[in-house]
Amino acid sequence: MMRSATYSRPIRVHIAPAAIRANYRLAKQRTPGARVWAVVKANAYGHGQWRAVDALRGEADGFALLECENAVALREADVSQPILLLEGIFSAADVAAVVEYRLTTVVHCAEQLEWLIAGSRPEQPLALYLKLNTGMNRLGFTAVTLPRAMELLRRLPQAEVTLMTHFAEADGERGIAWQLERFRALAGDWRGPLSLANSAVILRHPAAHGDWVRPGIMLYGASPFADQSAAALGLRPAMTLASRVIAVQEIEAGERVGYGGTFTVPRRMRLGVVACGYADGYPRHAPSGTPLAVAGRRTVTVGRVSMDMLACDLSDIPAAGPGAPVTLWGEGEGGAVPVDEVAAAAGTIAYELFCAVAPRVPVVLGES
Ligand SMILES: *Cc1c(COP(=O)(O)O)cnc(C)c1O
């Protein structure tokens, strides 16, 4: 890793492997008896696939991701745990890797089964996650398509099958009971293993854990719920987006701030300009009033987010001048701001903020 001093612009994304491990352990604690796939898709929700894999290499029961080539890379880097392809294979060309690298693969449509039948032999072990569509209406077999899948499965006698589904409203009022009911109806007298739960189900619906759970967002320390904070759930933030104030302006009442002049200063304001903009992955649609912390104190953004900068109100933080530390989200020298609060203010979710952090932002690895 390069020293921070190598970069002149002060924005950094700090990743804490110890927090990822602590959050993984919480997922284990909350699912006694179940095994836990660490979901590291989407570059580990923007935290870096290898950073997450290395943080959990010694303890994850398995790793779940999307692309065959990433799964193969994990195997070639001596990851010995099961690896799950969450969307299964994308073409017949992926079958060889599934067999050779012993990848566990979701099957959600008949075509995937046909590719596996054509590309594998009965003496080659095969681990499949048969996905049932119970109301998410994205991937999986329904009452109409399941009989054909079962027929095709008979031509893969070597396959060890786990039944899986995915809940659409585990974090909401409608809950999961209605989908569980459909799942049971589809599963019939199935006695084999089950995989049902993402983070929201792990934390809120202990009756629906099954044999293998699939936590993603909770590993990275954000809450899957709009009405319960990550801290209240016992999660630790794994990502901190930090920067510094690079300029201070004293603005008279009635002046406007930034592109489009969307914010009018109500009274004389001490305004801080922070080296962080939408080209760093900070959401441009974050309105005036989005929380951040400067020099240990919470404040809010004012005006539109530009490509490389945003502005904030420093009226109540007189000690914060150029160079003052800023926390955009997470916990750092600038203070603490839960990513979920920034996401809520910007009308999105922590998942999207994490995934959007731009490659130009230098990464600093926390102590592991
Ligand atoms: C991404 C994903 C998960 C993880 O969901 P979180 O809400 O991040 O916990 C679980 N299961 C499947 C099938 C997924 O695609």
Side-chain angles (χ1 to χ4, degrees):
M1 190 187 43
M2 291 204 194
R3 288 180 305 125
S4 302
T6 308
Y7 304 96
S8 64
R9 192 166 171 261
I11 190 164
R12 301 284 181 272
V13 59
H14 297 258
I15 305 295
I20 297 175
R21 262 195 307 278
N23 296 331
Y24 179 87
R25 285 173 192 160
L26 187 77
K28 283 294 280 186
Q29 268 174 30
R30 297 295 291 269
T31 57
R35 279 182 286 174
V36 177
W37 293 109
V39 178
V40 296
K41 67 184 179 190
N43 200 27
Y45 293 47
H47 293 66
Q49 171 183 284
W50 292 108
R51 289 179 207 111
V53 167
D54 286 339
L56 297 174
R57 195 181 260 280
E59 46 188 295
D61 297 321
F63 292 98
L65 43 67
L66 299 178
E67 306 86 356
C68 234
E69 60 275 20
N70 281 334
V72 167
L74 259 60
R75 274 281 175 271
E76 293 196 323
D78 294 326
V79 169
S80 57
Q81 292 97 323
I83 301 174
L84 173 63
L85 300 174
L86 282 165
E87 292 178 349
I89 54 178
F90 296 96
S91 75
D94 290 338
V95 177
V98 165
V99 170
E100 182 179 350
Y101 293 89
R102 294 164 290 108
L103 308 178
T104 304
T105 182
V106 165
V107 285
H108 61 74
C109 64
E111 288 74 13
Q112 289 178 323
L113 283 164
E114 281 157 3
W115 295 330
L116 288 164
I117 291 165
S120 69
R121 293 190 307 273
E123 68 274 16
Q124 295 168 325
L126 204 54
L128 304 183
Y129 266 47
L130 192 71
K131 185 153 190 175
L132 303 184
N133 173 8
T134 55
M136 178 80 173
N137 292 321
R138 208 172 50 176
L139 299 180
F141 297 101
T142 62
V144 175
T145 54
L146 187 58
R148 167 94 180 118
M150 288 305 189
E151 220 175 273
L152 288 167
L153 266 180
R154 278 198 282 278
R155 293 161 61 193
L156 291 167
Q158 75 276 33
E160 280 186 34
V161 179
T162 298
L163 272 195
M164 80 179 285
T165 196
H166 196 58
F167 295 110
E169 300 179 52
D171 55 337
E173 247 171 58
R174 199 173 173 207
I176 64 166
W178 62 281
Q179 274 189 271
L180 259 187
E181 209 168 291
R182 291 184 189 181
F183 185 82
R184 291 203 185 97
L186 283 173
D189 57 3
W190 175 260
R191 290 280 170 272
L194 302 177
S195 178
L196 309 172
N198 63 358
S199 299
V201 179
I202 288 168
L203 294 166
R204 204 160 266 187
H205 302 284
H209 284 166
D211 302 276
W212 277 89
V213 296
R214 311 186 301 268
I217 194 69
M218 69 178 288
L219 299 181
Y220 307 103
S223 172
F225 309 118
D227 61 359
Q228 201 174 8
S229 71
L233 292 163
L235 298 169
R236 282 173 52 185
M239 178 192 289
T240 296
L241 185 63
S243 190
R244 290 186 185 274
V245 172
I246 59 169
V248 172
Q249 305 279 350
E250 299 285 346
I251 310 289
E252 298 302 329
E255 284 289 303
R256 298 181 188 184
V257 177
Y259 285 118
T262 60
F263 181 81
T264 303
V265 175
R267 71 194 93 77
R268 202 157 195 277
M269 178 181 277
R270 198 161 172 274
L271 183 135
V273 178
V274 179
C276 175
Y278 62 77
D280 300 301
Y282 194 90
R284 183 179 174 278
H285 53 274
S288 293
T290 300
L292 75 168
V294 182
R297 303 267 310 270
R298 297 231 341 183
T299 182
V300 295
T301 63
V302 293
R304 259 189 207 151
V305 174
S306 335
M307 180 183 280
D308 310 309
M309 286 172 268
L310 56 78
C312 64
D313 183 359
L314 294 182
S315 302
D316 296 331
I317 320 177
V326 177
T327 298
L328 285 316
W329 63 70
E331 283 173 10
E333 203 188 340
V337 182
V339 65
D340 294 309
E341 289 184 29
V342 178
T348 184
I349 51 178
Y351 297 73
E352 191 183 17
L353 298 187
F354 286 158
C355 291
V357 173
R360 84 174 188 184
V361 179
V363 178
V364 178
L365 208 55
E367 77 286 5
S368 53

